[in-house]
Amino acid sequence: MINLIRIEFQKLFRRGLTYIGFAAILLIVLVIQVGMYVEGKKLLDFLIKSLSDVFLLEGNLINIYTVSYIVLTSLWIHIPVLVAIVAGDMVSGEAGRGTFRLLLTRPVSRGKLLTAKYITAQVYTAMLVVFLAIMSLVIGRFFFPAGDMIVLLETINIFDSTDVLWRFGAAYGYGMISMWVVSGLAFLFSTKATNSLGPVVASMSVLILFTIISNFSIGIFDPIKPFLFTTYLNGWQLFFDEPLRMDAIIKAITIMVAHITVFYLAAWLIFTRKDIQS
Amino acid sequence: MKSISLFVLLLIFTPAIKAQSLADSLVKHIITNSSKIQTFSADVLIDVDVDFIRIPIKKGKIFFKSPDKFKFRATGFALVPKKGLNFSMQKMLLQPHTALYVSSDDTNHLIKIVPMTADADYVIASLWIDKNLIRINKMEITSPKQGNSLMSFEYGNLPYDLPVSTKVSFDIAQIDIPMQFMGNMAMDKKKKDKSDKTSGNVILNYSNFKINGEIPDTFFDEEVESDSLIILEN
């Protein structure tokens, strides 16, 4: 199995498509960091202006942690696309290139081959999230100092700089799980398709549709909202809320893990029973 | 008949005149006591309790030089209430004003301060002045911008009238946070109080006072790091 995964990784990193995600994250993070470096203070002053009527505000809130948080919120919309591009190509790409029949003549079971591809896709997803973390928190240090972090949610949350890193660690961990759901969905569509574009478009369509339902304030959708994975994609923000709502976090992770499991099992069922013609 | 009228007038106005002179003398006493503090610095712990703000207790250092120079330095980010630092009261009393004696209870005299300048940043202030120690125990300020602020002072064993703890209660407008800026949680939203104003409390606990040491004026004007400043106590 490890050998299969190694081969899949070699194949993955020989394709230019694989690097699009990293390049996009690099570019977007740099653009946001430069923007915040130039205009960040003005923007934050505007947001907390009414506080300055009552309080003297002392200290700098435009720092590495606040900017990393903004990067996270901005990129969480785009990362699913980057993840789906690669995961959606994992199986369908082989079908499209006509290499599947040749590949399956090797003495390896379909289930093992699929699992190796699945693990590769999920490790790639994890790599993207880790890359985002490194870009935000490490490279960002060249632009910004460390300091207390401000998060504007339902309330204004200000965290001491010593109380921030674990939150980021947990948020990236949570984010990784949520991206595994998207990756798993794209992978599932990939097992049905014979070209790469189909699974990417299909998974994006599902993502957009579910996101609209999750955010629509119409009663008719309320019963299904708790079961949609899109309801929980932004849940990493829970780690920046005070007090921490562990019940909401555990519920969100449980539902996302259930989605990951169901998507993998469905992909496995489809692929092992599939009539491969190319 | 004339002498009766004069007697009645004296009977009516004597207590008022007496009360007025008492108000003036109380204010004068407080200004005299305050003027004994030419400079001071102190460590301060700031505990902010506002409905829509979550911030841990922050450490800071304050510096003051008479009559109105003030500087605050904190490790990290801190919110300090604009009203509630008792030397803002000193500045207020040095401006032209009228002091009116209102009443007294077991422990305090209550006087009202009305500003006599058009550009004053408050409309009216109420001072509860300790009957025995002639120092401010409580103060309420009404200002056009910030509404009402109520400050309660607790004093330690300092030889000067500097509080070791100040509780500031104030009205604050609810802030409508533009969620698009930093993202919004779609899941499990908490119910939001729709009222426009909410009240807040800030408790300032002071320690490590250095009173009447040397603090150069330039320190208040420039971006001098507080750590680099050595205050020599007299």
Side-chain angles (χ1 to χ4, degrees):
Chain A
M1 178 58 97
I2 290 169
N3 210 26
L4 273 176
I5 295 169
R6 193 172 51 79
I7 292 165
E8 286 301 326
F9 260 104
Q10 283 173 357
K11 278 157 56 180
L12 182 69
F13 281 97
R14 273 193 204 128
R15 292 204 308 259
L17 196 71
T18 309
Y19 299 96
I20 290 174
F22 294 104
I25 288 175
L26 177 75
L27 196 67
I28 298 167
V29 170
L30 282 176
V31 165
I32 293 172
Q33 284 178 343
V34 169
M36 289 303 290
Y37 185 77
V38 178
E39 290 280 321
K41 196 175 179 322
K42 218 184 274 180
L43 185 64
L44 199 65
D45 284 350
F46 167 72
L47 288 169
I48 56 175
K49 191 177 169 286
S50 40
L51 276 187
S52 59
D53 288 342
V54 180
F55 294 104
L56 292 169
L57 311 177
E58 167 65 26
N60 180 20
L61 284 174
I62 295 296
N63 55 55
I64 181 68
Y65 301 126
T66 303
V67 174
S68 294
Y69 182 88
I70 293 166
V71 167
L72 256 176
T73 39
S74 313
L75 273 181
W76 231 246
I77 304 153
H78 313 296
I79 285 188
V81 183
L82 305 173
V83 161
I85 289 171
V86 169
D89 184 62
M90 286 304 286
V91 180
S92 59
E94 297 272 7
R97 287 188 292 273
T99 52
F100 246 139
R101 281 207 291 190
L102 183 69
L103 190 64
L104 290 171
T105 56
R106 308 280 298 168
V108 61
S109 72
R110 282 192 186 193
K112 269 191 173 178
L113 180 68
L114 185 88
T115 306
K117 283 185 175 295
Y118 183 80
I119 290 170
T120 307
Q122 298 297 41
V123 171
Y124 171 80
T125 303
M127 284 167 72
L128 271 187
V129 175
V130 171
F131 183 69
L132 172 66
I134 292 169
M135 279 302 298
S136 299
L137 290 168
V138 181
I139 307 297
R141 283 291 277 145
F142 292 111
F143 293 95
F144 304 99
D148 291 358
M149 175 185 168
I150 185 167
V151 173
L152 307 179
L153 291 170
E154 304 281 314
T155 54
I156 297 172
N157 300 338
I158 294 160
F159 297 103
D160 200 275
S161 56
T162 54
D163 184 36
V164 167
L165 276 177
W166 76 268
R167 291 179 192 274
F168 271 108
Y172 282 116
Y174 182 103
M176 206 178 274
I177 296 170
S178 65
M179 288 305 106
W180 281 340
V181 181
V182 178
S183 174
L185 178 70
F187 191 86
L188 167 64
F189 286 131
S190 179
T191 55
K192 283 290 279 179
T194 51
N195 65 73
S196 304
L197 193 62
V200 177
V201 173
S203 46
M204 282 304 101
S205 304
V206 170
L207 195 70
I208 292 164
L209 178 70
F210 283 9
T211 304
I212 290 169
I213 294 172
S214 295
N215 290 294
F216 236 154
S217 302
I218 294 177
I220 193 171
F221 297 130
D222 284 350
I224 58 165
K225 278 183 190 176
F227 303 102
L228 300 179
F229 67 91
T230 44
T231 306
Y232 306 98
L233 287 186
N234 273 343
W236 58 270
Q237 289 181 328
L238 288 168
F239 291 99
F240 296 97
D241 204 7
E242 236 350 270
L244 208 61
R245 286 180 287 157
M246 279 311 290
D247 54 334
I249 292 168
I250 290 166
K251 182 186 164 195
I253 290 174
T254 307
I255 288 171
M256 288 194 299
V257 168
H259 274 85
I260 292 168
T261 312
V262 168
F263 289 160
Y264 171 70
L265 290 176
W268 194 85
L269 274 174
I270 291 166
F271 187 69
T272 50
R273 291 167 188 196
K274 190 178 182 181
D275 181 16
I276 293 170
Q277 294 167 330
S278 57
Chain B
M1 185 64 189
K2 249 183 182 179
S3 59
I4 292 170
S5 302
L6 195 66
F7 178 74
V8 170
L9 278 172
L10 275 173
L11 209 65
I12 293 167
F13 286 111
T14 304
I17 293 163
K18 207 175 161 188
Q20 185 55 47
S21 76
L22 179 58
D24 288 335
S25 74
L26 286 170
V27 170
K28 202 175 165 192
H29 193 282
I30 284 164
I31 293 171
T32 310
N33 273 1
S34 299
S35 64
K36 288 177 189 165
I37 304 158
Q38 285 304 303
T39 67
F40 85 84
S41 74
D43 294 337
V44 59
L45 290 176
I46 306 157
D47 185 359
V48 177
D49 175 21
V50 177
D51 189 36
F52 58 89
I53 301 173
R54 310 261 186 277
I55 182 169
I57 294 174
K58 304 299 292 187
K59 275 184 194 168
K61 203 166 174 68
I62 54 166
F63 302 87
F64 169 74
K65 187 167 188 176
S66 183
D68 60 357
K69 285 193 166 62
F70 166 73
K71 194 164 191 168
F72 176 79
R73 282 283 169 264
T75 41
F77 182 80
L79 301 168
V80 192
K82 280 185 176 169
K83 297 270 179 239
L85 303 161
N86 74 322
F87 30 87
S88 65
M89 169 269 300
Q90 188 182 336
K91 187 184 164 190
M92 183 180 88
L93 293 180
L94 287 172
Q95 291 170 348
H97 66 267
T98 299
L100 304 166
Y101 193 91
V102 177
S103 64
S104 69
D105 57 24
D106 291 343
T107 46
N108 297 310
H109 297 288
L110 171 59
I111 64 166
K112 301 263 181 195
I113 306 288
V114 181
M116 299 307 284
T117 52
D119 59 343
D121 65 348
Y122 69 103
V123 178
I124 193 164
S126 306
L127 304 181
W128 283 261
I129 297 167
D130 194 294
K131 277 180 169 173
N132 299 322
L133 300 163
I134 319 293
R135 64 189 181 192
I136 298 171
N137 283 336
K138 205 162 72 169
M139 174 162 77
E140 188 173 34
I141 299 178
T142 304
S143 61
K145 266 190 183 176
Q146 295 150 34
N148 285 342
S149 308
L150 179 67
M151 284 142 265
S152 309
F153 304 107
E154 277 179 33
Y155 298 87
N157 299 318
L158 291 168
Y160 300 92
D161 287 349
L162 276 174
V164 291
S165 178
T166 304
K167 184 181 178 184
V168 190
S169 307
F170 48 86
D171 294 330
I172 184 167
Q174 285 275 12
I175 292 176
D176 199 9
I177 302 163
M179 297 298 179
Q180 290 80 0
F181 173 65
M182 280 187 153
N184 191 3
M185 268 189 289
M187 54 184 287
D188 202 16
K189 272 190 181 175
K190 286 176 276 186
K191 291 264 181 274
K192 210 177 176 183
D193 185 8
K194 291 286 175 195
S195 59
D196 286 343
K197 287 223 167 190
T198 184
S199 60
N201 293 303
V202 176
I203 297 171
L204 302 148
N205 285 313
Y206 301 97
S207 61
N208 197 20
F209 282 94
K210 288 192 173 95
I211 300 164
N212 291 338
E214 283 276 318
I215 307 180
D217 282 348
T218 50
F219 174 71
F220 296 92
D221 303 329
E222 295 164 10
E223 281 296 311
V224 180
E225 288 300 316
S226 57
D227 297 342
S228 63
L229 182 80
I230 299 162
I231 297 168
L232 302 167
E233 267 189 283
N234 284 345

